[in-house]
Each structure stands twice: as structure tokens, then as C-alpha cells.
Amino acid sequence: MAGMKKRKIVFENGEEYYGESFGSDADAVCEIVFNTSMVGYQEIISDPSYTDQAIVMTYPLIGNYGTADEDYETKLPTAGGLIVREYNDLPSNFRYTKTLSEVMEEYRIPGISGVDTRKLTRSIRDAGSRRVAITDADIPTERAVELIRNTPVPHDAVARVSCKKRWYSRTANAAYNVVAVDCGIKLNIIRSLNARGCNVTVVPYNTPLSEIEKMRPDGIFLSNGPGDPQDVGEVIGLVRKVRGKYPVFGICLGHQLISLACGAETYKLKFGHRGGNHPVKNLSTGKVEITSQNHSFAVREESLAGTGLEITHVNLLDGTVEGVCDRESGMFSVQYHPESAPGPQDSAYLFDNFIAMMEGKANA
């Protein structure tokens, strides 16, 4: 791209990385994280869970297949920024409708290319995720650091990305009605439920139980989303009320919210799990699933004692809790993303388990 503007990433300790702009030229203060996926950059920047986060892609070449209208995970991408080694603005893909840079410019997502992403990833791995400023290269370091320090850490990410009113995704010959609580839901989750005969009603994160009950759901789904799960007290309270009344399935943030509602604790990981290559063991079958992940927080294992939740899945890289269930009340969750086709079909059975739970409840 001719005449690209010089930009930089500044850490609060003054550490800097220089590169060239693509996408939006907007300044931003974000939490910096890394993702180890080799493909899927469009799904990544349009995943609402990346709200307020600048994503470092460890795969070196990004942009080479453009973006396609059918592949978004949300209609309004809210990622904080994208940092890559090499950006390609001449896609080779018969499906592409826009370049990645055009999409990022449209949604005011700043991008920086030409960065030593290996060095940057090591910095995040060793020192953990931290806040950074993305700004012009000629801005004094002290001014960028001051910008970070004067920008409050947001606690309203779910409120910003959740839908503002209910909407519907229907399918032919539906057998079940699912209410999906939108904390930043990915569209492929809804497609996965539609494909299994579910009409899906997507509702705002703060919808009261009285409204949900009027929809006569066969099951309730709790979505992924951004930020600290302890900031989403509305959904934690909802889970406590629906426990035992309906089959409940949670993914990612939904997993953390179920655990908190049952009395467990969550904590922030040093640099989180992001990418499509995390091995997770299913403790019921002994099988290992290759999973797709995107989260900063995890459930504290020792805090699950006395909650009625049992651990169903464990991450083989660091031993973190990857799934829990309450068999008696018909509620389960996983930390990873079965709709992202990891493995590529290793985790699809989780949606089938949800269907079986709704069928069992209907026939009880």
C-alpha cells in the first residue's frame, strides 16, 4: 500500500513497536493480546469478545484472502486493533467482497503492519497482557503513556456489544425454541443451533426472567462476550433463577457466568487463550479435542467445591478448567468455541448434547 502512515504501539512502561498503518488511522487504548490462528482473521476482528483488545497475529501473513460478506461473526465489529507482520492488500479469493483494510477502516479499527510480531508475542507471553496505546509514530512517548494512564479501564463492554432489542433467527421445521442471552454472541453459534432445528430468539444481556418466560423457551443459551465476567451481574442473577427450570448451555463468557452464579470464582490469566490449537481432554470419554479459544479469564478449580458443578473438560497445556456441568439441574458449559469448527468437528457434539437435554426435558 503506497504512502502508508507510520504508526506505533506504546506500552505503559515506554516500550515501543513501530510499523505502518492499515485500516483506520484512529488512536486507541487497548489491552494487547496474541492469537495463534493461521486463518480466520475476519472472524477474529468481528468477534465481539475482542472488544477493547488489540490482537497480535502470530501467523506472519494476514489479508491475503480478503473478507466475505457471509463470514462475519457480528454485524458491527468492535475489535480494538490488529497488529501483523505482513499485510496483503491484494487478495486472491473469488469470494472476497472487501479487503481487510477496507473493513477495518469502515469500523474504525486501527491496524499496524511491519511489526516484529515474534518479539511482541514473547513480550506478552513473558510479562502478560497489558494496556497499550496505538498512535502516530511522531507522538512523544510520554504523551502516549499519559493517554494510557488517563483512560479508564472499561467495565461496560457487554452492555456496549449486546443487542438493544430482541431479534429472531428462525429455521424450517423447527423442533425447539432457544432463547440466547446476548453478551456478545457470535453468529456462527446461532447458525449451529439453527442447523439442529432450533428457532433462536436473541435477547439483550439484561432481559429479565419474566420476559424470557413469556417466550416459552425449551432451553436457554448463554453466549460468549468481552471483559471481566464479574462485571455482568445481570446475567449471573439470571442464571441463579433459571437453574433447574430450563436446560442451560454456556460458551466462553457464558461458562464463566454459570460458574460464578453457582458460587465459584474466576481469575484473570496471564495472557489468556486465543487460537485454534488448544488440546482439551473430555474427562467422560478420555478423548482429546483440538479446540478454538478466546478468553482472558478462567474458572478457579478449587472454588468449584460445593457448587454442584463437576469438571467435565480440562486444558492439557495448563490444566485450566474447560468445562463444567450440573447434571441434576440440566446445565453445562465449556470455555472453548465448538462453533468455530476446531478439529474441525471435535466439539460439535456439544450442540447435540444441548438438543438431547431439551428433548429429554420435553419428554419428562
Side-chain angles (χ1 to χ4, degrees):
M1 297 172 68
M4 285 194 295
K5 190 175 183 180
K6 295 293 184 182
R7 301 276 278 171
K8 68 179 178 181
I9 305 150
V10 184
F11 285 79
E12 199 166 357
N13 65 356
E15 183 181 353
E16 293 181 317
Y17 293 81
Y18 288 82
E20 297 178 315
S21 174
F22 70 99
S24 171
D25 284 338
D27 287 354
V29 173
C30 310
E31 179 186 32
I32 195 165
V33 299
F34 65 84
N35 186 299
T36 58
S37 300
M38 295 176 67
V39 294
Y41 54 76
Q42 180 180 353
E43 290 85 348
I44 288 166
I45 66 156
S46 63
D47 179 350
S49 296
Y50 282 111
T51 300
D52 302 325
Q53 292 181 330
I55 310 141
V56 179
M57 299 299 296
T58 61
Y59 188 73
L61 176 62
I62 300 296
N64 51 308
Y65 55 84
T67 65
D69 291 342
E70 300 87 0
D71 293 348
Y72 289 99
E73 289 290 5
T74 185
K75 297 172 184 176
L76 297 170
T78 53
L82 189 67
I83 300 154
V84 305
R85 176 59 183 160
E86 180 181 351
Y87 172 68
N88 183 316
D89 203 49
L90 297 171
S92 176
N93 176 9
F94 74 96
R95 293 180 65 242
Y96 102 90
T97 51
K98 293 180 181 178
T99 68
L100 176 60
S101 185
E102 288 169 342
V103 171
M104 291 171 59
E105 186 174 9
E106 180 178 352
Y107 295 106
R108 290 186 59 78
I109 301 172
I112 301 183
S113 66
V115 175
D116 185 345
T117 50
R118 290 183 298 179
K119 181 180 178 182
L120 183 51
T121 299
R122 284 195 298 269
S123 173
I124 299 167
R125 182 196 65 191
D126 294 344
S129 299
R130 290 154 288 159
R131 295 213 298 166
V132 298
I134 298 175
T135 188
D136 292 346
D138 58 358
I139 297 295
T141 304
E142 298 78 12
R143 190 166 141 200
V145 170
E146 185 180 1
L147 177 63
I148 299 170
R149 291 175 178 168
N150 291 338
T151 303
V153 176
H155 293 280
D156 63 343
V158 167
R160 280 183 280 134
V161 300
S162 179
C163 59
K164 302 304 180 274
K165 63 179 181 179
R166 77 179 71 167
W167 59 279
Y168 305 92
S169 181
R170 299 184 176 96
T171 189
N173 303 314
Y176 304 101
N177 292 311
V178 172
V179 169
V181 180
D182 180 10
C183 298
I185 196 166
K186 294 170 67 177
L187 293 177
N188 208 35
I189 291 173
I190 299 170
R191 297 182 195 112
S192 298
L193 291 168
N194 287 157
R196 289 166 173 80
C198 298
N199 280 338
V200 181
T201 304
V202 184
V203 300
Y205 77 103
N206 56 356
T207 302
L209 177 59
S210 58
E211 291 298 312
I212 291 174
E213 288 178 329
K214 292 176 185 176
M215 303 171 200
R216 300 174 62 84
D218 296 301
I220 294 176
F221 176 81
L222 305 175
S223 85
N224 62 292
D228 186 336
Q230 297 189 63
D231 292 336
V232 200
E234 296 89 343
V235 182
I236 294 170
L238 175 66
V239 175
R240 289 174 180 152
K241 293 175 183 177
V242 301
R243 186 178 186 180
K245 287 188 175 182
Y246 302 98
V248 179
F249 177 26
I251 287 176
C252 200
L253 181 66
H255 161 75
Q256 298 159 13
L257 295 172
I258 283 174
S259 299
L260 286 171
C262 294
E265 299 172 0
T266 56
Y267 65 100
K268 191 168 186 180
L269 296 166
K270 185 177 181 181
F271 48 79
H273 297 161
R274 293 174 185 86
N277 47 13
H278 288 257
V280 167
K281 185 174 183 178
N282 182 326
L283 300 182
S284 298
T285 64
K287 292 182 178 179
V288 176
E289 304 168 31
I290 300 302
T291 68
S292 178
Q293 307 216 4
N294 172 20
H295 63 106
S296 295
F297 291 81
V299 175
R300 196 177 299 281
E301 180 178 353
E302 56 270 27
S303 72
L304 288 165
T307 63
L309 298 174
E310 63 177 278
I311 299 172
T312 58
H313 297 75
V314 173
N315 190 301
L316 293 181
L317 296 180
D318 61 8
T320 50
V321 176
E322 291 283 356
V324 297
C325 79
D326 178 355
R327 299 182 195 278
E328 186 175 335
S329 67
M331 182 164 64
F332 75 107
S333 62
V334 290
Q335 181 64 78
Y336 52 97
H337 283 270
E339 84 288 344
S340 292
Q345 297 296 328
D346 288 12
S347 307
Y349 70 90
L350 291 161
F351 288 103
D352 299 327
N353 288 355
F354 186 43
I355 300 299
M357 286 174 61
M358 290 190 288
E359 184 178 9
K361 183 82 170 178
N363 295 332

